[in-house]
Amino acid sequence: MPLPTSRAFNPYDKDIANYVQAASKKFGDDRSDPRSVMESHCLKETGDRYFYRTADPDLGTSFLFISQTQWQKVLLALYGVLVLIDSTYNTTNHRNQYLFFVAVRTRFHYMPVAQFLVEHQDERTISEALSMLVEWNPGFCPKFVVSDFAEAIHNAARLSFGDPQILLCSFHREGLAQLAEEK
C-alpha cells in the first residue's frame, strides 16, 4: 500500500496542473485546461471519448470524469450483454473522488470498457455517468449487471439501462456463504 505522503499516488493539484502544462507544451498547445487538451488531441486523433466537468456549487453540479477508448467501445459492442460495475471503495479516496469501472466478460477474462471518476457515490451521479456511456454507444442496453451490495449502483443501472437483472458478484456471494457457515 503506498504511503499517504507519496505524491506519485496522491498528487497535489499543483502536480496535476504541472503534468497538464507539460503535455500542452509537448503537443504544441499552450492551453492549460484539461478539457481542451483532451478535445484537441485525444478525440480528433483516436476516436476515444472523454467527458470532464469540474464541480460548480452555483450550478449544482459535481465533479465528473468519464472515459472510453475506441478499443473499449469495440469490446462493449461485442460483449455488452453482461456488464460488471464496481468501484474502488476506500482505496482511492482522493479528496472525495471515487473511481468506478465498467467491465465485460470476454472469452478469457474481464476487461474494462469504461471508467469514471466521481465526487459522490450516489444514484444520481452514477446514473449520469452510465447514461453518458449509453449515449456514446447506441444500442447498448445490458440484460445483466453484476455488482456488489451498493444500492446506488443497482438503482443507477435500472435508471440507465431499463430493467437489467442485477446479479451479486462471486466475491460477495462467497463472502455471504462463508458468513452463513460460521453461524
Side-chain angles (χ1 to χ4, degrees):
M1 181 88 178
L3 295 173
T5 56
S6 171
R7 287 176 71 177
F9 290 94
N10 299 299
Y12 296 130
D13 290 339
K14 181 67 177 163
D15 296 327
I16 295 170
N18 289 340
Y19 291 136
V20 170
Q21 186 176 23
S24 297
K25 287 180 182 177
K26 178 179 178 181
F27 292 112
D29 189 349
D30 62 350
R31 296 174 287 179
S32 60
D33 177 26
R35 184 181 300 116
S36 64
V37 173
M38 287 186 290
E39 288 172 355
S40 64
H41 299 293
C42 300
L43 299 177
K44 291 179 183 173
E45 296 174 14
T46 64
D48 297 349
R49 300 298 307 256
Y50 298 91
F51 177 81
Y52 173 80
R53 179 184 66 214
T54 57
D56 188 341
D58 295 335
L59 295 175
T61 58
S62 61
F63 173 83
L64 174 62
F65 174 78
I66 180 171
S67 67
Q68 183 184 45
T69 65
Q70 185 63 33
W71 172 77
Q72 289 175 320
K73 187 174 180 136
V74 169
L75 286 177
L76 183 61
L78 289 172
Y79 302 104
V81 172
L82 180 145
V83 295
L84 176 124
I85 303 172
D86 201 10
S87 173
T88 54
Y89 296 105
N90 300 323
T91 58
T92 58
N93 184 354
H94 178 66
R95 294 187 190 101
N96 293 327
Q97 293 176 349
Y98 305 92
L99 179 62
F100 283 80
F101 295 96
V102 179
V104 295
R105 172 90 172 140
T106 66
R107 291 176 51 201
F108 304 105
H109 44 21
Y110 283 91
M111 296 295 294
V113 293
Q115 43 283 325
F116 55 96
L117 191 63
V118 295
E119 189 174 3
H120 306 288
Q121 297 183 65
D122 61 0
E123 176 183 321
R124 184 178 141 262
T125 306
I126 297 168
S127 179
E128 181 181 8
L130 294 178
S131 295
M132 189 165 294
L133 189 60
V134 169
E135 181 183 320
W136 291 351
N137 299 274
F140 168 59
C141 188
K143 294 181 179 167
F144 304 96
V145 173
V146 179
S147 181
D148 56 15
F149 291 114
E151 282 296 318
I153 293 176
H154 299 177
N155 294 334
R158 286 185 186 101
L159 283 172
S160 303
F161 304 141
D163 194 22
Q165 185 174 353
I166 306 292
L167 306 171
L168 191 59
C169 70
S170 60
F171 176 80
H172 290 89
R173 272 195 331 264
E174 291 165 7
L176 282 176
Q178 186 177 8
L179 282 174
E181 288 175 8
E182 291 174 3
K183 289 184 178 186

